Amino acid sequence: ALEVFANRTDRSFHENRAPSRTRDEFIGDRFGVEYQTTFGLDRFGSLTAGARYEEETARTFNERLAPTPTPRRKTLGERQDTRSFFALWQLPLTDRLDVSLGGRVDDVRKVGSFTTWRATAAYRIEETGTKLRASGGTGAKAPTLFQLYSPNFGNAALRPEKSEGFD
């Protein structure tokens, strides 16, 4: 399946602190495409694989409206591209036991590359209608353009947040 997506966020902030009045603007654009397919592997289960590309831009502007108006000026113009590749192998080991193994690689412009993984197991006890489940994996999230480049709060040295979990 092929998915194409896009959106725009356009915000304007007005600040009135007598005698000064200012306007700040934020314009964020996001565009991307993702392809995903699943291969049937007969007794070896199925393999789902895909790739995603996402481009994100952020532009901010500032102008003083009073007491002395100033021209609108650009205060930020940044871009972040993300390329991702992922795969999930789902495998029935026995009539009662299913496992899955998945992984993902993300490469984020100006942030770096990182990998994540997940493994699961499910065991069915059909006589009682019970299913026992277990899973483990890692997660990661790249910093947003705001977190990296906001004039007041940004930190361009931020790295991806990482986590791990098991149940």
Side-chain angles (χ1 to χ4, degrees):
L2 180 67
E3 176 185 0
V4 177
F5 55 91
N7 73 316
R8 170 171 275 191
T9 302
D10 193 342
R11 290 186 219 136
S12 182
F13 306 93
H14 295 264
E15 187 171 336
N16 296 311
R17 290 187 184 180
S20 178
R21 287 184 29 225
T22 60
R23 177 173 56 202
D24 292 293
E25 294 176 79
F26 169 85
I27 300 171
D29 291 306
R30 192 171 143 247
F31 167 79
V33 61
E34 178 175 307
Y35 178 75
Q36 178 177 308
T37 190
T38 300
F39 303 98
L41 304 174
D42 295 325
R43 66 184 181 102
F44 296 107
S46 65
L47 177 67
T48 300
R52 177 184 181 107
Y53 173 79
E54 184 174 333
E55 176 184 299
E56 192 175 8
T57 60
R59 293 173 289 147
T60 61
F61 303 89
N62 174 272
E63 66 183 307
R64 187 171 58 220
L65 305 172
T68 307
T70 61
R72 180 179 183 246
R73 68 181 175 89
K74 188 176 196 176
T75 54
L76 174 70
E78 287 293 339
R79 174 178 163 174
Q80 182 168 283
D81 301 334
T82 304
R83 290 181 302 272
S84 305
F85 302 94
F86 54 89
L88 173 66
W89 182 25
Q90 296 174 298
L91 177 64
L93 289 180
T94 69
D95 290 342
R96 295 179 183 232
L97 178 62
D98 297 320
V99 298
S100 70
L101 301 169
R104 181 180 179 107
V105 176
D106 289 281
D107 180 34
V108 183
R109 179 177 175 244
K110 295 186 181 178
V111 172
S113 297
F114 52 91
T115 60
T116 54
W117 61 268
R118 178 176 162 98
T120 68
Y123 185 79
R124 290 179 298 284
I125 304 172
E126 295 171 7
E127 296 80 11
T128 62
T130 304
K131 185 184 283 189
L132 304 174
R133 299 174 190 256
S135 68
T138 60
K141 167 102 175 52
T144 65
L145 286 172
F146 179 83
Q147 292 169 326
L148 290 167
Y149 303 113
S150 166
N152 297 324
F153 308 105
N155 179 349
L158 289 176
R159 303 283 31 82
E161 294 179 27
K162 296 182 179 182
S163 65
E164 59 183 38
F166 301 88
D167 67 355

